[in-house]
């Protein structure tokens, strides 16, 4: 689960630096679309390709339903202090609300619902998983809004390798790579995302303009530094600029996110 919102200022600075030098931004691992959205806002004249492999558009389409569910949950938790642990009865009421909507509509954005009732850093993708967790009153105030969020984007749902192959001959393209982090939750990629898959991504960096995101959990930067010492210019990430920030998920979980750029 990425923390790209903390890098928006840095990402914006990079985009402004290449303004006029590129005509396309290709977001190979689009996730929530935040980076694609930012790229289109900063460079409105550029073509921005958002690879929605996880089908985030389904969650956006369900925003009204999600707001209804959270409103119903909030009403049932009236009087419960923020971040307070729910009693078994309160927890049962929350699950009853979610189950009712899922049975009625056939779909519920469980991940977003979970972020409002689970401890910070915890997430689930199914009602079955949600039923296994302790819950807290973390329901956000107000409602989610997403009007116009994907306006102007070219939305595709492709394997990142196919998309790269389609766009790689454009010398005026900037590739944005935010692959699943090793040793972390990998969402839709979790069934196959291993070290070799990450190393395959590094092949895409050669000869391209890129912004690549990773973390110190993967130790991939240390690997690239070692390769740079051995193979110099031919090594992945050789001569790239690295920006870093520390993220705190909860009282016991911290890690360093990195944005690596070569233009």
């Amino acid at each position: 689960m990425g923390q790209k919102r903390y890098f928006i200022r840095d990402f914006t600075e990079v985009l402004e630096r290449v303004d006029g030098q590129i005509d396309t931004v290709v977001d190979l691992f689009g996730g929530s679309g935040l980076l694609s959205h930012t790229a289109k806002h900063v460079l409105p004249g550029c073509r921005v390709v958002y690879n929605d492999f996880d089908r985030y558009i389904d969650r956006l389409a369900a925003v009204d339903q999600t707001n209804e569910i959270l409103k119903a949950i909030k009403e049932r938790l009236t009087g419960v202090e923020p971040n307070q642990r729910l009693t078994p009865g309160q927890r049962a009421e929350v699950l009853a609300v979610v189950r009712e909507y899922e049975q009625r509509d056939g779909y519920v954005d469980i991940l977003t619902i979970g972020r409002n009732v689970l401890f910070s850093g915890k997430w689930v993708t199914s009602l079955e998983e949600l039923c296994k967790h302790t819950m807290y009153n973390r329901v956000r105030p107000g409602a989610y809004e997403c009007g116009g969020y994907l306006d102007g984007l070219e939305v595709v749902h492709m394997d990142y390798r196919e998309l790269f192959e389609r766009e790689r001959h454009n010398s005026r393209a900037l590739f944005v790579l935010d692959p699943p982090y090793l040793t972390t939750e990998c969402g839709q990629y979790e069934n196959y995302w291993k070290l070799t898959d990450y190393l395959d991504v590094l092949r895409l960096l050669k000869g391209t303009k890129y912004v690549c995101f990773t973390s110190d959990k993967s130790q991939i930067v240390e690997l690239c530094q070692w390769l740079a010492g051995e193979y110099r210019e031919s090594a992945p990430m050789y001569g790239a600029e690295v920006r870093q920030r520390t993220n705190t998920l909860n009282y016991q979980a911290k890690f360093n996110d990195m944005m690596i750029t070569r233009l």
Side-chain angles (χ1 to χ4, degrees):
M1 307 304 294
Q3 301 290 326
K4 296 298 95 63
R5 64 185 183 276
Y6 298 127
F7 274 115
I8 291 304
R9 179 178 297 178
D10 297 286
F11 185 56
T12 297
E13 290 177 4
V14 170
L15 293 171
E16 291 172 343
R17 200 189 311 169
V18 296
D19 189 9
Q21 303 174 36
I22 65 170
D23 59 17
T24 303
V25 176
V26 184
D27 190 356
L28 291 173
F29 301 87
S32 68
L34 178 60
L35 298 176
S36 292
H37 170 83
T38 301
K40 193 63 181 179
H41 175 74
V42 178
L43 302 175
C46 270
R47 169 175 169 252
V48 179
V49 184
Y50 164 44
N51 189 18
D52 181 22
F53 184 82
D54 293 316
R55 293 202 62 85
Y56 193 73
I57 58 171
D58 294 339
R59 296 175 61 194
L60 294 178
V63 161
D64 290 342
Q65 182 212 58
T66 299
N67 287 332
E68 285 183 22
I69 294 173
L70 293 177
K71 181 180 178 181
I73 291 175
K74 193 170 186 177
E75 290 173 352
R76 284 161 175 75
L77 299 182
T78 300
V80 180
E81 292 294 320
N83 298 313
Q84 182 175 321
R85 181 174 177 173
L86 303 190
T87 66
Q90 293 164 340
R91 184 173 173 278
E93 287 195 63
V94 169
L95 291 172
V97 170
V98 178
R99 187 173 290 110
E100 177 184 349
Y101 276 86
E102 187 172 73
Q103 291 175 347
R104 187 192 73 184
D105 300 334
Y107 174 84
V108 167
D109 180 2
I110 293 290
L111 199 153
T112 300
I113 300 302
R115 290 176 66 88
N116 283 267
V117 295
L118 298 180
F119 193 73
S120 179
K122 298 286 186 180
W123 66 285
V124 294
T125 58
S126 69
L127 179 57
E128 182 181 5
E129 292 178 30
L130 184 63
C131 292
K132 299 175 183 177
H133 286 268
T134 301
M135 295 185 186
Y136 301 82
N137 180 20
R138 301 185 66 244
V139 181
R140 69 190 302 273
Y144 289 104
E145 297 181 8
C146 65
Y149 182 62
L150 300 182
D151 284 358
L153 302 183
E154 181 180 325
V155 183
V156 298
H157 313 280
M158 301 173 65
D159 184 287
Y160 78 92
R161 289 161 292 199
E162 296 176 6
L163 179 57
F164 177 78
E165 186 63 26
R166 193 185 81 176
E167 304 290 337
R168 70 184 181 90
H169 299 293
N170 181 2
S171 62
R172 288 172 57 82
L174 174 69
F175 291 92
V176 179
L177 301 96
D178 182 21
Y181 293 175
L182 294 175
T183 75
T184 64
E185 299 289 356
C186 295
Q188 300 283 12
Y189 301 88
E190 62 189 351
N191 291 328
Y192 71 86
W193 197 263
K194 308 298 181 186
L195 176 59
T196 51
D197 297 295
Y198 206 107
L199 294 176
D200 283 342
V201 171
L202 297 183
R203 292 176 176 173
L204 311 188
L205 305 184
K206 187 175 182 179
T208 62
K209 300 180 184 68
Y210 65 82
V211 179
C212 183
F213 295 89
T214 186
S215 82
D216 59 2
K217 286 186 176 184
S218 69
Q219 298 183 326
I220 205 71
V221 173
E222 287 84 348
L223 171 61
C224 289
Q225 289 172 341
W226 183 89
L227 291 172
E230 290 290 314
Y231 302 106
R232 307 300 291 174
E233 290 86 350
S234 61
M237 299 186 184
Y238 181 84
E241 173 190 355
V242 180
R243 304 191 191 193
Q244 179 174 300
R245 62 163 295 123
T246 300
N247 292 324
T248 302
L249 292 180
N250 52 53
Y251 72 94
Q252 60 181 184
K254 296 181 180 180
F255 65 95
N256 292 317
D257 253 345
M258 300 174 186
M259 188 181 87
I260 303 167
T261 306
R262 189 171 183 181
L263 304 176

